[in-house]
Amino acid sequence: MGLSIAMPQKMKTTVKVRNHHIDAYGHVNNARYLNYLEDARSDFFEELGVGLHLLAERGIHVVLTDVTASFRYPAKLGDLLDVYGWFIDISTRKATWGHEIRQAASGKTVMTGTATGVFLQRDRIITIPADVRQVMASLFLPDSV
Amino acid sequence: MGLSIAMPQKMKTTVKVRNHHIDAYGHVNNARYLNYLEDARSDFFEELGVGLHLLAERGIHVVLTDVTASFRYPAKLGDLLDVYGWFIDISTRKATWGHEIRQAASGKTVMTGTATGVFLQRDRIITIPADVRQVMASLFLPDSV
Amino acid sequence: MGLSIAMPQKMKTTVKVRNHHIDAYGHVNNARYLNYLEDARSDFFEELGVGLHLLAERGIHVVLTDVTASFRYPAKLGDLLDVYGWFIDISTRKATWGHEIRQAASGKTVMTGTATGVFLQRDRIITIPADVRQVMASLFLPDSV
Amino acid sequence: MGLSIAMPQKMKTTVKVRNHHIDAYGHVNNARYLNYLEDARSDFFEELGVGLHLLAERGIHVVLTDVTASFRYPAKLGDLLDVYGWFIDISTRKATWGHEIRQAASGKTVMTGTATGVFLQRDRIITIPADVRQVMASLFLPDSV
C-alpha cells in the first residue's frame, strides 16, 4: 500500500542526423554513432541527477574502457534517431551500458552496442560511488541485450 | 630455390593527434579512434592496390558491420600514433580486421580493436572478390588478436 | 484594421555543447561553430517550409560561398547556446545570413558571423526560387549585423 | 658577400581528404576546412621552432579571434590538398594568417581565407613574444592575399 517500486527501464533521447554526420558513402559515419551514444549517456546521467559535471566537481571522471557496436541499418540525413541506454552489467568497479539506436519514424534498429566504463579519481579506478550505483540500478536490465 | 613466399604481416600507418581530436577530458575522444582506424584501413587497401575508390568504380562498397574497441592508455595532443591493421578472420562473405594503436614514442598500447566488414554491390552482400581476397591473405594473421 | 504585417525577425535555435565539441584548449573548437551555424540554418529553412531536403527533391542545392566568424567569448562543456540567424543581404542569385551565438544562461555573445550562399541546380547557380525568397524576406534585417 | 637574407615565403603542408570529411552533399564539409587550416598552422609553428606545445609550456596560448573563408571549388574524397599559410598582417598584439588550399593534382584553388589570432597569458592578451614575432616575419607577405 503506497509502496512504490519503480521497475528498471531503458532511457531514451532523440538525435537528428546532420549534414556533417554523413560520410562519402551517404550514410552516418560509423564513428559518429559513438558520439550519439556518448551524448545520450551524458544526458541520461544528468537526468538522473548525477550529471558528469557534478561528478567532476567531486573529482570523479567516467572513462570508457570498451565499446562494441553492430551496424544494422544505415541512418540517413534528416533521420530522427531514438537512442536508448540501460545497464546490462554493474559490478563493484565497472559497469556496462546496453545501447540501441532506432530510426524514430520506422522503428527500425539502426545499431546496437555496449559501452563499458570505470570511475576514476586522481587517475585511479574507484568503487562506483553509492549514490551513482543507486541511480544506475534503476536502469539495470541484464537480460535485455 | 627462388621460391618466394611472403609471410603475412601487419600493416602500419602513422597519425598525429590534433587539437580537435581532444575532448573535454583532455584526451583523444573515443569516437575519433574509429576514424583513425577507418583512415588506416583505407590507406592499407590503397597501398595493396585495391583502393576503395577502385572498388567503387566496380560498383563495390565496403561497409562495416561490427566494431569492438578497448581503450588502454589515453592518447594526448601532439602524440604520433602508429595504427596497425591485419586480418584475424576471412570468410566467404565477410572479413575481420585486427587493430592496434600504439604511441609511437613509447610503444605503449593505446587501444586495440576489431572491425568486421562486408562487400556490397547493388546493396547486396557479395562474395569477397578474388583479387581483394588475395591481397587480404597477405595480412592474414588469425592468432594475433 | 485586421491587416497583419509580420515584421521580419531573427530565428533562434538552441544547441548543447558536447564533450566532443571541446578541443585541447578546453573550449569549443573554432570549426565546430560552423557546424552549429549550418545545423541552425538547416532547421530554420525546415521550419519555414523550405527544408533543404524539399529543395533537393527539386534538384536544388544550397552551397556556401563565404563565411566570416568573430569569436568573442569561449563556450564550454555543457553550455546551452542560442544560435540566431537572419538575412543581412538578399540579391538575385545569392544571400547572406547574419549569425550570432549567445550563451543561453548569461546572454553573453559567444560569436558573430555571416554565411553567404548560392542555389545550384545541375551545378549552375540559379536565381533564388520565388517561394524561397519570400520566406527569406521574413528574416530580412539588413541593419542588424 | 656571404650575406644571407631569407626572403619571406609561404609555408605548405598536405592533407588527404578522408571519408568522414565528406558531408551529405558529397563534398568536404565547410567546417572541416577550418580544421585543415588549424592543423596546418600548428605544423607551421612547430616547423619554425615555436610549436604550440612549447608556447603552452611558457603559459602562452594562441587563440583565434576572427576567421574568413571563401569556398571556390569543392574538394572530394581522396583529394590531396596543399594547404598554404603566411602572414598578411602582424601588429603588436595580433596577427593575421593568409591561407589558400589547392587541389594538389590540378593546382585548382579550393578555398582561400584568413585567420586572426592573439596570444594569451593568464587569460590576458599579451604583446607577441619577440622570438615568435621573428619567425612570423619570415612568413610576412602582406600583399599576397
Side-chain angles (χ1 to χ4, degrees), chain B residues 47-99:
Chain B
E47 202 172 321
L48 291 167
V50 290
L52 296 178
H53 61 289
L54 297 175
L55 293 177
E57 286 171 9
R58 293 155 64 180
I60 298 169
H61 295 272
V62 186
V63 175
L64 274 192
T65 60
D66 296 274
V67 164
T68 69
S70 293
F71 306 107
R72 307 279 190 87
Y73 182 79
K76 294 181 306 297
L77 179 63
D79 279 357
L80 288 178
L81 302 178
D82 290 333
V83 183
Y84 294 88
W86 65 96
F87 284 100
I88 58 172
D89 192 59
I90 304 175
S91 66
T92 310
R93 294 156 73 95
K94 69 178 184 179
T96 299
W97 290 88
H99 283 300

Side-chain angles (χ1 to χ4, degrees), chain A residues 60-66 87 89-96 115-121 123-130 132-133 136:
Chain A
I60 298 169
H61 294 272
V62 186
V63 175
L64 275 192
T65 60
D66 296 273
F87 284 100
D89 192 60
I90 303 175
S91 66
T92 310
R93 294 156 71 95
K94 68 178 184 178
T96 300
T116 301
V118 293
F119 295 73
L120 295 185
Q121 204 168 24
D123 287 332
R124 299 184 70 105
I125 296 174
I126 58 169
T127 299
I128 301 175
V132 181
R133 176 182 301 276
M136 287 165 63

Side-chain angles (χ1 to χ4, degrees), chain B residues 7-141:
Chain B
M7 293 296 290
Q9 55 180 338
K10 299 180 180 184
M11 291 191 83
K12 187 183 87 167
T13 187
T14 302
V15 65
K16 190 174 183 176
V17 174
R18 298 299 189 172
N19 184 41
H20 50 96
H21 298 174
I22 302 298
D23 67 20
Y25 279 129
H27 303 140
V28 171
N29 184 260
N30 66 89
R32 179 62 58 176
Y33 289 109
L34 296 201
N35 287 142
Y36 292 161
L37 298 181
E38 176 182 52
D39 296 349
R41 289 191 301 268
S42 170
D43 286 353
F44 296 157
F45 271 129
E46 190 169 334
E47 202 172 321
L48 291 167
V50 290
L52 296 178
H53 61 289
L54 297 175
L55 293 177
E57 286 171 9
R58 293 155 64 180
I60 298 169
H61 295 272
V62 186
V63 175
L64 274 192
T65 60
D66 296 274
V67 164
T68 69
S70 293
F71 306 107
R72 307 279 190 87
Y73 182 79
K76 294 181 306 297
L77 179 63
D79 279 357
L80 288 178
L81 302 178
D82 290 333
V83 183
Y84 294 88
W86 65 96
F87 284 100
I88 58 172
D89 192 59
I90 304 175
S91 66
T92 310
R93 294 156 73 95
K94 69 178 184 179
T96 299
W97 290 88
H99 283 300
E100 186 174 10
I101 297 181
R102 290 173 180 266
Q103 199 182 38
S106 69
K108 273 185 187 163
T109 297
V110 169
M111 67 95 70
T112 58
T114 65
T116 301
V118 294
F119 294 75
L120 295 185
Q121 204 167 24
R122 299 181 193 183
D123 289 331
R124 299 185 69 105
I125 296 174
I126 58 170
T127 299
I128 300 175
D131 58 328
V132 180
R133 176 181 301 276
Q134 194 171 357
V135 300
M136 286 165 63
S138 69
L139 306 179
F140 188 49
L141 290 157

Side-chain angles (χ1 to χ4, degrees), chain A residues 19-20 22-25 29 77, chain D residues 19-20 22-25 29 77:
Chain A
N19 184 41
H20 51 97
I22 302 298
D23 67 19
Y25 279 129
N29 184 260
L77 180 63
Chain D
N19 185 41
H20 50 97
I22 302 298
D23 67 19
Y25 280 129
N29 184 260
L77 180 63

Side-chain angles (χ1 to χ4, degrees), chain D residues 33-48:
Chain D
Y33 289 109
L34 296 201
N35 286 141
Y36 292 161
L37 299 181
E38 177 182 51
D39 296 348
R41 289 191 302 268
S42 171
D43 286 351
F44 296 157
F45 270 129
E46 190 170 334
E47 202 172 323
L48 292 167

Side-chain angles (χ1 to χ4, degrees), chain D residues 66-139:
Chain D
D66 296 273
V67 164
T68 68
S70 292
F71 305 107
R72 307 281 189 84
Y73 182 80
K76 294 182 305 297
L77 180 63
D79 279 357
L80 288 177
L81 301 179
D82 290 332
V83 184
Y84 295 87
W86 64 98
F87 284 99
I88 58 172
D89 191 60
I90 303 175
S91 66
T92 310
R93 294 157 72 93
K94 67 178 185 178
T96 299
W97 289 88
H99 282 300
E100 185 173 9
I101 297 180
R102 290 173 180 266
Q103 199 182 39
S106 70
K108 274 185 187 164
T109 298
V110 169
M111 66 95 70
T112 59
T114 65
T116 301
V118 294
F119 294 74
L120 294 186
Q121 205 167 23
R122 299 182 192 182
D123 288 332
R124 299 185 69 106
I125 296 174
I126 58 169
T127 300
I128 300 175
D131 58 328
V132 180
R133 176 182 301 277
Q134 193 171 356
V135 299
M136 286 165 62
S138 69
L139 306 179

